[in-house]
């Protein structure tokens, strides 16, 4: 997908003015945060599991070449095929080639952020195929020609009324007077329509939560069962996943699975956890005839060994965005790329370039909530800070901001001059503001006073008052 | 250390906007048996530069802070944000510098946020003969909470203030949207965050908002005032020190000279 992250400020502004979006985001926050808190409270070893998960992923990243090649060997042994893709274009071509080799017309898809990243749907449509998203949220946004706004809840920006409208517009074959106001109504309707698509699909495409090097298995977790129907019913199953999804062993998947759903939706486990190992074997009752894994790099290997390497531990649970007050204010679309929220702010500059994405790591108060909830203990604010350092070095921040900062720093390094300036400025401001105690408007403070009053300073700085106090040795003169 | 020498890191915002917090800090530290000094060659901890990715200026400012404070037994700041900068980020700034790294680490180890210093290091369990009639609520500022573990300490001391009722703020640990230069760079997002915060504060029915960081307090008080709220805002140290004669944050002085 074409990044729009350079439009962050504009898009954030639009999002903030969207009352419908604000309502949807408020619902999301309450739901995800409370559920996560409740389920984690029931697992005393949760913090230990975070350490284990972090360590095993660090180990994998340090030996990624080894585990990737072991994964390829195992997949091949089990009768599957691995396709390496350095770029989105290579990944798209690999998928198309497989589809063409079986003369595919219809392709069902389980939810996959990597296929969003490589813009697979549009490409398949241009190539004459019909991709159909089967995750309810993805299905809804596909009908609306929108992009996901969240990595586990792609349609989280919508309310029930929006979905009802979309279904009525698109499912014109159904009774226009049918009831459509409960989540169950949407699920039932989508299920009935998608059943036919599952049965007619030639190829099923899913993502992967893990690629297990020990067994050559790919793993998906879903709550709707759509992933299983996508990968089991068609003749061909294509997994599209990025290199950092690799883990060493089957047992390692259990460690991460124990923190994944709890962090994501507050479930102990997702409804479906599905392991796929190779194509159907003789005697198997079901399964695809062909099993392909397209493994995408797209800039990730370049992050290894850098300060942004820790972002590759991410298991895409979404906890950071569910808890982020900035994401909770502007939603996912404002970030302008497939991975929004704090992890997007830490990862995206590395994948789509700092020039495109330098606003994202700045749009954080460094409140630290994201790192607190991250099951993989990714130091998200630290990585955002790393990008700010790079941004400063590359002089990408707004010139006015840089000049203001340089001037302030010049004074801050010279305490005596700073004090003279501070005494003069605060003296004046204090006199101006004494009557009301605050300013509703002030030159050069427009960003602040547009939305809130600025409390006025007292008469004189602390240092001035302290010096007077020391001279008189009288009690506080404040 | 019967009477440790404490260097008060005033913080730029307290110095410029609300000296009473500095005086409250001195009073509390003295009550906790400390000998307090206020070095005059301090300006700011350097966070605006650090958060903007300007390491050169951050280091230069940090060096002047280290020079001014390294001889004290403790360095105490009435702010979790600035104390967090000295404690958590100075060592990082100099990690590859053989001369400054030990000095930064030495400073970091002895730097504390005011209220947690009083409780955790000086063993203060109560404030005596301090009263303030108020229905209060408390906001946990992010850096103090997550970098320094400031959570129970202010509540423990506030519970000993006569007449003060503390009602917990739902979402007390959610950022208020100040974020230093964040509120200038992204004023609209910051506004949504602080509006959400003041809605929560108003819903508690509190007439007094307390917190341990003046930046957050100026943000929340500024928004409360803009909304026409009568809820007052003060730094927790003012209440604990009993220095509540003067106006609350953003309020006019009652009579000249007070």
């Amino acid at each position: 997908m074409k990044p729009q992250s350079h439009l962050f400020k504009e898009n954030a502004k639009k999002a903030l003015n969207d009352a419908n979006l604000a309502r949807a985001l408020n619902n999301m926050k309450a739901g995800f945060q409370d559920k996560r808190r409740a389920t984690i409270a029931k697992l005393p070893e949760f913090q230990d599991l975070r350490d284990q998960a972090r360590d095993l992923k660090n180990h994998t990243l340090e030996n990624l070449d080894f585990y990737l090649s072991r994964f390829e060997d195992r997949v091949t042994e089990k009768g599957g095929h691995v396709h390496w893709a350095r770029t989105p274009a290579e990944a798209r071509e690999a998928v198309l080639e497989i589809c063409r080799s079986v003369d595919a017309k219809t392709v069902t898809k389980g939810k996959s952020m990597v296929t969003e990243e490589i813009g697979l749907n549009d490409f398949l449509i241009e190539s004459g195929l019909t991709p159909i998203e089967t995750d309810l949220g993805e299905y809804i946004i596909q009908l609306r020609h929108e992009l996901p706004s969240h990595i586990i809840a792609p349609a989280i920006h919508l309310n029930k009324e929006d979905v009802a409208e979309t279904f009525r517009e698109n499912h014109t074959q159904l009774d226009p007077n049918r009831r459509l106001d409960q989540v169950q109504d949407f699920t039932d309707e989508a299920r009935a329509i998608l059943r036919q698509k599952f049965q007619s699909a030639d190829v099923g495409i899913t993502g992967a939560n893990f690629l297990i090097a020990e067994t050559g298995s790919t793993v998906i977790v879903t709550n709707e069962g759509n992933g299983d129907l996508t990968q089991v019913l068609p003749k061909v199953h294509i997994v599209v996943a990025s290199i950092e999804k690799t883990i060493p062993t089957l047992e390692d998947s259990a460690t991460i699975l124990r923190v994944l759903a709890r962090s994501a939706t507050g479930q102990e486990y997702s409804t479906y956890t599905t392991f796929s190992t190779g194509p159907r074997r003789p005697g198997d009752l079901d399964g695809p005839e062909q099993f392909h894994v397209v493994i995408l790099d797209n800039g990730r290997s370049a992050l290894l060994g850098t300060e942004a390497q820790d972002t590759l531990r991410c298991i895409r649970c979404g906890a950071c965005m569910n808890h982020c007050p900035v994401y909770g204010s502007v939603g996912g679309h404002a970030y302008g790329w497939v991975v929004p929220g704090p992890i997007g702010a830490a990862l995206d500059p590395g994948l789509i370039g700092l020039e495109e994405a330098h606003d994202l790591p700045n749009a954080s108060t460094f409140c630290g909530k994201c790192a607190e909830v991250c099951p993989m203990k990714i130091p998200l604010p630290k990585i955002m800070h790393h990008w700010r350092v790079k941004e400063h070095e590359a002089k990408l921040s707004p010139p006015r901001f840089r000049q203001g900062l340089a001037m302030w720093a010049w004074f801050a390094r010279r305490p005596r001059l700073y004090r003279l300036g501070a005494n003069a400025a605060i003296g004046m401001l204090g006199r101006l503001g004494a009557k009301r105690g605050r300013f509703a408007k002030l030159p050069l403070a427009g960003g602040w006073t547009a939305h809130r009053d600025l409390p006025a300073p007292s008469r004189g700085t602390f240092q001035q008052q302290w010096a007077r106090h020391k001279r008189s040795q009288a009690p506080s003169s404040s | 250390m019967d009477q440790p020498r404490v260097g008060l890191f005033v913080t730029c915002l307290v110095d410029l906007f609300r000296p009473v917090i500095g005086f409250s800090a001195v009073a509390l530290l003295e009550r906790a048996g400390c000998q307090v000094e206020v070095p005059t060659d301090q300006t700011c901890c350097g966070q605006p530069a650090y958060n903007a990715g300007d390491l050169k200026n951050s280091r230069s400012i940090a060096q002047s802070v280290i020079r001014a404070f390294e001889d004290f037994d403790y360095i105490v700041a009435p702010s979790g944000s600035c104390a967090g900068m000295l404690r958590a980020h100075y060592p990082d700034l100099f990690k590859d510098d053989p001369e400054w790294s030990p000095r930064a680490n030495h400073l970091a180890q002895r730097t504390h946020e005011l209220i947690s210093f009083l409780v955790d290091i000086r063993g203060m369990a109560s404030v005596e003969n301090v009263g303030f009639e108020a229905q209060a609520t408390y906001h946990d500022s992010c850096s103090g909470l997550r970098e320094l573990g400031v959570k129970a300490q202010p509540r423990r001391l506030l519970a000993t203030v006569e007449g003060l009722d503390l009602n917990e703020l739902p979402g007390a640990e959610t950022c208020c949207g100040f974020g230093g230069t964040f509120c200038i760079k992204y004023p609209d997002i910051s506004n949504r965050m602080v509006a959400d915060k003041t809605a929560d504060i108003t819903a508690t029915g509190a007439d007094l908002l307390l917190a341990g960081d003046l930046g957050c307090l100026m943000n929340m008080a500024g928004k409360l005032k803009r909304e026409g709220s009568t809820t007052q805002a003060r730094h927790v140290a003012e209440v604990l020190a009993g220095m509540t004669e003067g106006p609350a944050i953003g309020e006019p002085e009652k009579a000249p000279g007070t």
Side-chain angles (χ1 to χ4, degrees), chain A residues 189-212:
Chain A
E189 185 163 319
R191 171 179 289 151
I193 287 174
L194 288 171
R195 266 311 133 134
Q196 303 151 16
K197 313 281 186 192
F198 282 125
Q199 282 159 359
S200 63
D202 308 299
V203 171
I205 299 177
T206 67
N209 290 85
F210 312 114
L211 307 174
I212 302 177

Side-chain angles (χ1 to χ4, degrees), chain A residues 268-425:
Chain A
E268 292 182 341
Y269 260 80
S270 301
T271 313
Y272 299 88
T273 302
T274 309
F275 294 73
S276 306
T277 314
R280 180 197 300 219
R281 296 163 302 187
D284 280 353
L285 294 177
D286 55 23
E289 291 164 21
Q290 292 181 31
F291 178 72
H292 298 269
V293 188
V294 177
I295 302 182
L296 176 74
D297 182 350
N298 197 24
R300 287 163 176 80
S301 58
L303 299 179
L304 291 168
T306 73
E307 302 215 28
Q309 173 174 315
D310 290 343
T311 56
L312 300 179
R313 288 207 299 269
C314 177
I315 54 173
R316 301 292 189 271
C317 70
C320 61
M321 50 201 82
N322 296 344
H323 290 78
C324 174
V326 174
Y327 178 96
S329 296
V330 302
H333 285 151
Y335 289 80
W337 204 58
V338 61
V339 187
I343 181 61
L347 175 67
D348 299 352
L351 298 189
I352 59 177
L354 192 55
E355 203 155 332
E356 172 69 37
H358 70 99
D359 247 318
L360 308 188
N362 277 288
S364 160
T365 60
F366 283 163
C367 79
K369 186 72 191 176
C370 50
E372 181 186 300
V373 298
C374 175
M376 304 305 287
K377 290 199 160 179
I378 301 170
L380 291 154
K382 196 175 165 205
I383 299 169
M384 290 180 220
H385 182 256
H386 157 74
W387 291 120
R388 294 190 195 183
V389 172
K390 295 282 169 209
E391 180 202 39
H392 182 80
E393 286 169 5
K395 296 188 167 44
L396 288 168
S397 43
R400 251 184 66 193
F401 178 74
R402 300 170 57 78
Q403 287 153 10
L405 190 77
M407 199 166 83
W408 166 85
W410 193 88
F411 277 101
R413 294 199 317 263
R414 292 167 176 79
R416 267 184 220 143
L417 276 175
Y418 175 92
R419 204 134 297 292
L420 283 176
N423 292 350

